[in-house]
Amino acid sequence: MASTDSAALPTAGRFGEFLAALGWHHADNDDCTSLWTKQAAGQRLQVVLPMVEGTADSQILLREALDTVAYSLGQSADEVLQDLHGPVEQVLVRLHPSGPAGQAPVTLLESTVRGLRDVVVGAASALFTESMVLPARRPTLAEEFAGRARVATGAGSFVVTMLLPLNTEADVPLDGFESEPLGRQVTDLLAEFAAQARGITDLESVDPGAWEESIVGPVRMPNATVLAGLAAIGGPDRLPYTLRIVQSAAVTPYQKPVSLDFSTQAQEAIGGAARYLRSRSPARGTQLRGLVIRLSRDGVAGPGEAVIEGVHDDSQSVGRVTVILSEPDYHQAILAHKLGRHVTMTGDLSVRGNRKYFENVTGFDVLPEEGLRP
């Protein structure tokens, strides 16, 4: 974060524009100052801006105005200052590495910035796909958005701030978001995802079954890229850190700043959850062969569900797999079930809970009687 020295302070004109955007009332002017007021937190606040700039008094007035606005927003002066030079959304990480304040090992800084970028890319991608494991080629707009982010550092003990634009040149309205700026959509989702990730670390015993119960449910949950990013921010030693999300007050509505602590243990659990999700991501183009052991569908026509017990080629393990078949394939499955014949198909194998599912099925076929048994 930048220091609030005189070089960083905005002009009084820019400050006035910012106050107007925040809903402050321009109450009065005289030859030397302009008065702005606002009712907030049950009290009447006022800010005095200089009409003549470049003097010692003008810098004092601007600093006092900055502190007052920060108080009204529940933000630090540095956070407000970044927004004044923006507007921007801010994702801050506060670490406490050993050594002088404001300094950190290069390996830690690299890991922190990389982790922050993954968190942003993962949250932005979640606006376009609900996949828990992102493909190698992420959504283009998500990558472009993350590529426009800027990074600032500061003391206290060591703070890394990622500044996110509210819009991108390719920004387009998304269905269901009422044309809300892309940057705001990302930080809204990021705040939700970070809280969900903290929930994983609160489990008394974190094991694969517990991860699954925690990260699979009716609410939107963080994908593996977000989880891996949160686990990487603390660096190779997983130093404890505080994640803070600050939305631009110039764009309403906005959330109050969100701060979450991530311990070493929390990062280890979150990293494990990311690995767990990736290990259970769909195995695309898997070939399955086996016996039809159960069939069901609603009505006498249309697609239906089949349970196949057999072998899939990615691990050669035997197991039961649930698949939705088209009506023609379902008729073939009925025949195979009656004759005790094996079937074969190609599709995407995924695991949800304790059940395996086969999707995007192609090439469904009934094997001859001498077909390979599982």
Side-chain angles (χ1 to χ4, degrees):
M1 294 181 296
S3 173
T4 53
D5 57 22
S6 58
L9 290 170
T11 64
R14 170 59 187 143
F15 214 133
E17 294 173 358
F18 186 69
L19 291 174
L22 267 56
W24 286 68
H25 172 62
H26 186 190
D28 194 17
N29 278 350
D30 61 26
D31 292 340
C32 298
T33 61
S34 63
L35 176 65
W36 295 75
T37 62
K38 185 176 184 179
Q39 198 71 23
Q43 56 185 312
R44 182 177 180 273
L45 301 178
Q46 68 177 33
V47 162
V48 178
L49 297 180
M51 297 291 286
V52 179
E53 300 190 56
T55 66
D57 287 345
S58 68
Q59 297 303 307
I60 293 173
L61 289 176
L62 288 173
R63 289 195 189 95
E64 290 176 346
L66 186 64
D67 290 339
T68 301
V69 173
Y71 168 77
S72 71
L73 295 174
Q75 300 180 15
S76 72
D78 283 340
E79 290 165 355
V80 174
L81 192 60
Q82 294 286 13
D83 203 18
L84 267 162
H85 291 302
V88 291
E89 307 282 276
Q90 302 174 59
V91 183
L92 305 93
V93 171
R94 185 181 299 275
L95 300 130
H96 300 277
S98 58
Q103 297 183 19
V106 172
T107 53
L108 173 59
L109 181 58
E110 288 177 342
S111 184
T112 300
V113 173
R114 184 175 63 252
L116 278 171
R117 188 183 189 283
D118 284 346
V119 166
V120 170
V121 169
S125 297
L127 296 170
F128 302 92
T129 175
E130 294 184 358
S131 174
M132 298 298 285
V133 178
L134 300 181
R137 178 174 293 181
R138 279 79 176 271
T140 301
L141 194 56
E143 289 283 6
E144 290 178 354
F145 175 78
R148 294 192 62 209
R150 294 177 290 120
V151 174
T153 60
S157 294
F158 187 74
V159 178
V160 178
T161 304
M162 184 159 282
L163 307 169
L164 307 178
L166 279 163
N167 293 288
T168 68
E169 293 179 357
D171 200 3
V172 294
L174 301 177
D175 291 340
F177 290 94
E178 299 179 351
S179 301
E180 186 180 25
L182 180 59
R184 178 57 48 83
Q185 296 174 51
V186 171
T187 53
D188 278 342
L189 202 51
L190 181 51
E192 181 181 345
F193 282 172
Q196 296 287 356
R198 276 291 290 123
I200 296 172
T201 70
D202 290 338
L203 298 172
E204 292 182 3
S205 175
V206 182
D207 56 31
W211 291 337
E212 184 178 348
E213 292 173 4
S214 299
I215 58 184
V216 179
V219 297
R220 299 188 70 177
M221 304 303 293
N223 53 48
T225 301
V226 171
L227 293 173
L230 291 171
I233 286 174
D237 297 328
R238 301 204 188 282
L239 294 179
Y241 68 86
T242 299
L243 181 74
R244 183 170 167 87
I245 300 168
V246 181
Q247 296 186 334
S248 172
V251 178
T252 56
Y254 59 90
Q255 296 184 43
K256 292 182 179 180
V258 174
S259 295
L260 294 167
D261 294 326
F262 290 85
S263 65
T264 298
Q265 182 181 10
Q267 294 170 65
E268 291 172 349
I270 292 169
R275 292 189 296 273
Y276 173 69
L277 280 178
R278 285 170 171 163
S279 72
R280 297 171 77 84
S281 62
R284 305 190 186 282
T286 298
Q287 187 175 35
L288 177 72
R289 60 186 183 276
L291 288 171
V292 179
I293 63 172
R294 187 165 62 246
L295 291 161
S296 64
R297 68 176 171 180
D298 297 328
V300 296
E305 181 181 279
V307 177
I308 314 294
E309 184 165 18
V311 179
H312 48 81
D313 63 3
D314 66 329
S315 65
Q316 298 298 311
S317 63
V318 177
R320 294 187 176 188
V321 179
T322 301
V323 56
I324 301 297
L325 298 174
S326 65
E327 184 171 13
D329 289 346
Y330 190 81
H331 288 157
Q332 290 293 309
I334 292 174
L335 176 64
H337 185 59
K338 288 180 178 179
L339 299 177
R341 300 278 184 86
H342 289 77
V343 298
T344 182
M345 70 196 82
T346 301
D348 301 336
L349 179 66
S350 61
V351 181
R352 302 173 203 157
N354 296 321
R355 301 181 66 182
K356 298 173 183 176
Y357 294 86
F358 215 64
E359 300 170 314
N360 303 318
V361 174
T362 59
F364 186 90
D365 195 15
V366 180
L367 295 176
E369 191 172 356
E370 64 270 22
L372 178 65
R373 286 190 173 275

